[in-house]
Amino acid sequence: MLKKITAVTLALALTACANTDALDESITSLTTKVDALSVQVADLDAQQKSIAADAQAAKELAEQAANDAKAANERIDNVVASYKK
C-alpha cells in the first residue's frame, strides 16, 4: 500500500513539474502578446491623435475659406450695387 501511495505521489509530482513548465510557457506567450497589443494600441492612439489634429486643422481652414468667400461675395455685391446707382 505504501509503495502505491509513493508511486502515485511521485507521478503527481512529475506531472505538477511538467504543468508548471507549460504554465510558465503559456504565461510568457501571453505576456508577449499583451506587450505586442500594448504597442499596437499606443500606435493607434498616436495615429488617432494625429488624425484628429489634421481634421481640426482642416475644419479651421474650411471655416476660414467660407468666411473669406462670404466677405468676397459681400464686396462683389457692393461693387455691383454701386454700378446700379
Side-chain angles (χ1 to χ4, degrees), residues 60-73:
E60 291 170 1
L61 287 173
E63 289 173 353
Q64 183 62 42
N67 290 336
D68 291 347
K70 183 178 177 181
N73 285 336

Side-chain angles (χ1 to χ4, degrees), residues 1-65:
M1 181 79 165
L2 186 57
K3 287 184 180 182
K4 289 182 182 179
I5 293 173
T6 305
V8 169
T9 304
L10 181 61
L12 288 174
L14 292 175
T15 303
C17 291
N19 288 341
T20 301
D21 291 341
L23 180 62
D24 288 343
E25 186 176 319
S26 294
I27 290 172
T28 302
S29 175
L30 289 174
T31 301
T32 302
K33 290 177 183 179
V34 168
D35 290 343
L37 288 173
S38 295
V39 169
Q40 287 178 346
V41 167
D43 288 345
L44 289 173
D45 186 47
Q47 289 176 2
Q48 185 274 332
K49 287 179 181 176
S50 175
I51 290 169
D54 291 346
Q56 182 62 32
K59 180 181 176 183
E60 291 170 1
L61 287 173
E63 289 173 353
Q64 183 62 42

